[in-house]
Amino acid sequence: MRISLLLVTALSGLAAAEDGLNAWLRYARISDAKSYHKRLPSVISTLNATKGLPVHTAGEELVAGISGIFGKKISVAKSVSSKDTTVTVGTVKAYAAKDAKAAKALPELIDDGFYLKVSRGNVLIIGSNERGALYGTFHYLKLLAQGNTSDFSLASNPDAPVRWVNQWDNMQDGGTHGSVERGYGGDSIFFWDGVIRSDLTRVSQYGRLLASIGLNAVIANNVNANASILTPENMDGLARIADAFRPWGVQLGVALNFAAPQLLGGLDSFDPLEPKVVNWWQGISDNLYKRIPDMAGYLVKANSEGQPGPMTYNRTLADGANMFARTLQPYGGIILFRAFVYNHQTLNQDRDWKADRANAAVNYFDGLDEKFEDNVLVQIKYGAIDFQVREPVSPLFSHLRKTGVTIELQITQEYLGQQAHLVYLAPMWKEILDFDMRVDNKTSPVKDIVSGKRFNRKLGGYAGVVNVGTNTTWLGAHTAMSNLYAYGKLAWNPSLKSEEILDEWTRLTFSSDRKVVDVLRKISMASWPAYENYSGNLGIQTLTDILLGHYGPNPASQDNNPWGQWTRADADTIGMDRTVKNGTGNAGQYPPEVAAMYENIETTPDNLLLWFHHVPYTQKLKSGKTVIQHFYDAHYEGSATAQTFVPLWKSLKGKIDKERYEHVLFRLTYQAGHSLVWRDSVNQFYFNKSGIPDQKKRVGNHPYRIEAEDFTLKGYRTYKVSPFEAASKFHAIVTTSNTTVGTATTKLNHIKTGRYDLAINYYDMALGNSTWEVYVDNSRVGKWKGDLEYELGRAPSPYVDGQTATRITFPGVKIKKGAELKIVGTPDGLEPAPLDYVSILPEGIVD
Ligand code: GCW
């Protein structure tokens, strides 16, 4: 009963406003809908459907889809006459029971695969299992939503069996990083106040989205796991989550805290070789499977970033993983054991030129390949360190041959703009998946290692850290959902092209209008290269604040701490020497052909130069530019590209519903401004460090700017910003107290009378909502509030820094020569209405 109620709510959301809840499953009415009716089936026949299981769901989804898209009411029929045009959905087994001969003639299907045939209104959707039948149904509905009713047939099988989602949801808000660790779309849809939410409507809706892109399991709780997930009450709650997912063919898995036997079980040890510990875990698995017979398995982060693990007892990682694996074997479950193992406390960059976090995974896992149980998969982040804007593929992919692996991708944009910047990630993932590791000098693309093909392994696949939240947009921004869509699509078929995935997503999410599709493609395909250009190029990593929110620029934070995301930048040189010859030896962890490429500076691609080599700023790249000039140019180019997103999006006005048009416009405008913050911070930082001027004389030279500290100040005072590069000329102004209204005035004697874009750079901290007003000759041009912390889900910061620096622009303001420009800042809470500078920009100039 509960399940069917959930279904009804999930489906009845279809007619709701365009708030993003239905993402790409809107089933929006197509133009000329009636003209399709005769080519559509008139009844639905579900074979052997059981309420609460995917074939039954497929029937309901067909009803909702065909009615939404075409306004045609059809229903699931008990019996079907030969006169009816019918869409038949079921499993191979059910189909064979009806028509053994026809079932024999089906093409080969592996688990989760489906066969789909459309022939003049008669449609056959046969899944290898229930889930496959639902996947085939979604495939058919996606075609219908794009107006495609043509006859065709297709057999589709997944490239890999494991296509999981990891959510980093905490049991309790205020835990590590709030409700969802590195989540930018609101609170957890699963947990609140230490327990599983009573209303799991959003979980069911999430299951629907995941099923529609072929994803088959979810770990709902954070890998930094709270042992309390395993209390009897929470196990009951987990069973409710599993119930909400089951109609969609999505299985539930659980992230475990290695020390739970001690933390929760009251044992005096969590040593994986101690019988009482093993028994304790067996009891947990038994109890979970009693409640969730189809549970997918476990996810474990051990001995990493303060998490407990087997090494606490001098046991190997394999000892740890196998302990869980054995408790799962009676039930057919699997364990994903993370390779993200490193010590974040002992690495020392001054003491040891050879210390290198990038070496950790191979060092820890070497020698263990033969040791893992068959149901252990090692889960490896795509790069050797941590979800940076560009990393070489993790060398560990080439070391494990017997042990199955999953590749961990991050859909939530932790280091990549936190959904406040549009960054379409499929092109980056494709580069990773297509990268040829040349194991044994043979073709070895990462995608074939992951799927199991390259080393003949049965198990393998994908784990995507998604981190949706209660926001109706799921991820915090409508456009960020193209990344979730692409993740599912690539996990099913990594050979799809980034552009084709995107176009399909756009048509389903926004509109099939040619212009809409073109514009989103232009913006999206340019977005990762742009972000790389303005946030960290040449393989230096995302130069973000790694100690605080991982969001805005702060290059200095990379170095001189044990986190190991070092740049080793000094006055003359920059980059990590990872060669075998003279550095950390990391290049040597790759198979010989790849190792040779990275060892040699001549053959290392420019985009990874500083990942593998330590060079002078004057080192010449293959392009002929020096490293430092490339930095300057790339930051200007990247941020210039981000400026183009705004007019491109504006060209779609009227073609997108108002709600989503405004939402996206707001973010793209913000991104354009913040990309300038990135550009100027990173460029100022390296100019300051190297002392080498920009050949094009842009860095540190901004003729349209007036520094706030150069205004006449009343109630405002000059403030030295830290890190220095987060402010133009290193200074900002703040109100003299948090109750004093500040006024900053200046005379615009240097400009000609005309129309200007008035750009104001200020800081919006998470400590209050200051108000600013700007006047030209005492007439008010605008007023705004510092409330971005509510508008954008990105990590909040209480500082005047690169995270909070932002820009607002008032376009086309009429200003007379000699006019008085006045800004009034009213502090709020602890936010002192900070201002950095004003730019008076002639038309067409952005600076
Ligand atoms: O990227 C880092 C994140 C942590 C995360 C960790 C991991 C879940 O900053 O928030 O913890 O990686 O992947 O375990």
Side-chain angles (χ1 to χ4, degrees), residues 144-316:
L144 293 184
Q146 296 172 76
N148 184 347
T149 51
S150 351
D151 289 358
F152 82 109
S153 71
L154 154 95
S156 183
N157 285 309
D159 201 61
V162 176
R163 303 179 306 281
W164 288 22
V165 161
N166 292 179
Q167 284 276 142
W168 289 351
D169 294 32
N170 293 314
M171 304 293 299
Q172 200 112 37
D173 188 32
T176 337
H177 306 281
S179 184
V180 180
E181 178 156 352
R182 315 299 179 191
Y184 313 105
D187 291 329
S188 170
I189 62 171
F190 298 99
F191 310 110
W192 194 249
D193 212 9
V195 295
I196 285 77
R197 284 185 187 272
S198 55
D199 180 355
L200 295 179
T201 310
R202 289 296 298 270
V203 173
S204 168
Q205 291 167 336
Y206 191 30
R208 176 171 175 254
L209 291 183
L210 299 180
S212 76
I213 48 174
L215 297 172
N216 58 10
V218 172
I219 303 284
N221 62 315
N222 194 350
V223 272
N224 291 331
N226 196 318
S228 73
I229 189 82
L230 300 175
T231 63
E233 184 196 2
N234 281 336
M235 284 201 206
D236 290 344
L238 287 172
R240 287 192 296 111
I241 296 178
D243 290 346
F245 276 146
R246 191 168 296 107
W248 307 103
V250 174
Q251 289 169 269
L252 182 70
V254 184
L256 302 177
N257 182 309
F258 205 93
Q262 198 173 68
L263 296 172
L264 185 73
L267 304 188
D268 57 4
S269 157
F270 54 89
D271 178 348
L273 297 191
E274 269 216 47
K276 63 182 178 204
V277 173
V278 174
N279 284 340
W280 191 84
W281 281 115
Q282 186 64 59
I284 292 291
S285 291
D286 295 344
N287 273 313
L288 282 167
Y289 275 93
K290 214 174 280 157
R291 291 168 167 88
I292 313 171
D294 56 354
M295 191 177 80
Y298 294 141
L299 170 67
V300 176
K301 169 177 179 180
N303 292 117
S304 166
E305 300 184 337
Q307 293 297 323
M311 284 160 15
T312 313
Y313 293 92
N314 280 324
R315 310 300 187 194
T316 68

Side-chain angles (χ1 to χ4, degrees), residues 739-754:
T739 50
T740 310
V741 173
T743 308
T745 38
T746 191
K747 284 260 183 242
L748 302 176
N749 290 324
H750 64 293
I751 60 157
K752 284 200 216 126
T753 300

Side-chain angles (χ1 to χ4, degrees), residues 168 176-177 181-182 184 222-224 301 304-305 307 338 340 342 357 381 385-388 408 410 414-415 465 467 546 548 550 563 565:
W168 289 351
T176 337
H177 306 281
E181 178 156 352
R182 315 299 179 191
Y184 313 105
N222 194 350
V223 272
N224 291 331
K301 169 177 179 180
S304 166
E305 300 184 337
Q307 293 297 323
R338 290 175 97 222
F340 186 68
Y342 73 103
R357 173 169 163 192
K381 289 191 185 187
I385 291 193
D386 198 4
F387 298 138
Q388 300 300 298
E408 188 174 308
Q410 208 184 32
E414 177 181 353
Y415 285 94
V465 180
N467 292 358
I546 69 153
L548 294 170
H550 297 188
W563 291 100
Q565 295 180 217

Side-chain angles (χ1 to χ4, degrees), residues 531-694:
Y531 190 83
E532 179 177 24
N533 274 336
Y534 64 74
S535 76
N537 45 55
L538 301 180
I540 194 64
Q541 309 166 94
T542 312
L543 294 168
T544 187
D545 195 321
I546 69 153
L547 302 174
L548 294 170
H550 297 188
Y551 178 65
N554 186 352
S557 71
Q558 315 285 129
D559 287 282
N560 301 311
N561 57 56
W563 291 100
Q565 295 180 217
W566 305 327
T567 68
R568 288 193 181 273
D570 59 24
D572 306 306
T573 54
I574 183 168
M576 282 290 290
D577 187 340
R578 293 194 157 102
T579 62
V580 174
K581 203 168 49 245
N582 187 44
T584 73
N586 178 258
Q589 290 190 341
Y590 292 85
E593 289 179 48
V594 177
M597 170 173 75
Y598 291 148
E599 181 74 16
N600 182 343
I601 201 164
E602 299 300 322
T603 51
T604 304
D606 278 349
N607 59 27
L608 286 172
L609 181 77
L610 303 179
W611 186 280
F612 285 108
H613 300 280
H614 183 74
V615 299
Y617 291 108
T618 50
Q619 172 82 23
K620 281 254 160 71
L621 301 173
K622 295 178 185 64
S623 64
K625 280 184 194 174
T626 60
V627 162
I628 191 73
Q629 193 57 40
H630 180 95
F631 261 54
Y632 297 150
D633 291 350
H635 283 81
Y636 271 88
E637 272 161 39
S639 58
T641 302
Q643 308 308 312
T644 66
F645 297 168
V646 177
L648 276 167
W649 182 255
K650 280 187 173 163
S651 74
L652 299 183
K653 187 158 191 182
K655 289 181 182 286
I656 311 267
D657 54 285
K658 193 161 179 299
E659 193 171 355
R660 290 185 299 169
Y661 175 80
E662 296 295 343
H663 200 266
V664 174
L665 179 60
F666 174 77
R667 278 174 168 62
L668 291 177
T669 306
Y670 167 81
Q671 176 175 9
H674 199 236
S675 73
L676 299 174
V677 172
W678 267 102
R679 178 195 79 182
D680 294 343
S681 297
V682 174
N683 282 347
Q684 282 201 112
F685 180 84
Y686 288 103
F687 174 42
N688 184 280
K689 226 177 180 58
S690 69
I692 302 173
D694 170 22

Side-chain angles (χ1 to χ4, degrees), residues 11 73 157 216 236 260 326 364 370 488 495 527 557 573 728 838:
L11 297 177
K73 301 270 172 259
N157 285 309
N216 58 10
D236 290 344
R326 292 187 194 110
Y364 281 117
E370 311 273 324
S495 299
S527 62
S557 71
T573 54
S728 188
V838 177

Side-chain angles (χ1 to χ4, degrees), residues 26-45:
R26 294 154 56 243
Y27 301 145
R29 186 64 48 84
I30 199 164
S31 55
D32 234 352
K34 267 242 152 75
S35 68
Y36 293 84
H37 281 205
K38 53 187 180 310
R39 274 173 283 158
L40 295 170
S42 46
V43 292
I44 302 163
S45 164

Side-chain angles (χ1 to χ4, degrees), residues 511-532:
S511 155
S512 291
D513 185 290
R514 174 73 50 82
K515 181 139 191 226
V516 175
V517 174
D518 283 352
V519 162
L520 271 151
R521 188 200 271 220
K522 252 196 207 123
I523 295 177
S524 302
M525 294 306 291
S527 62
W528 173 51
Y531 190 83
E532 179 177 24

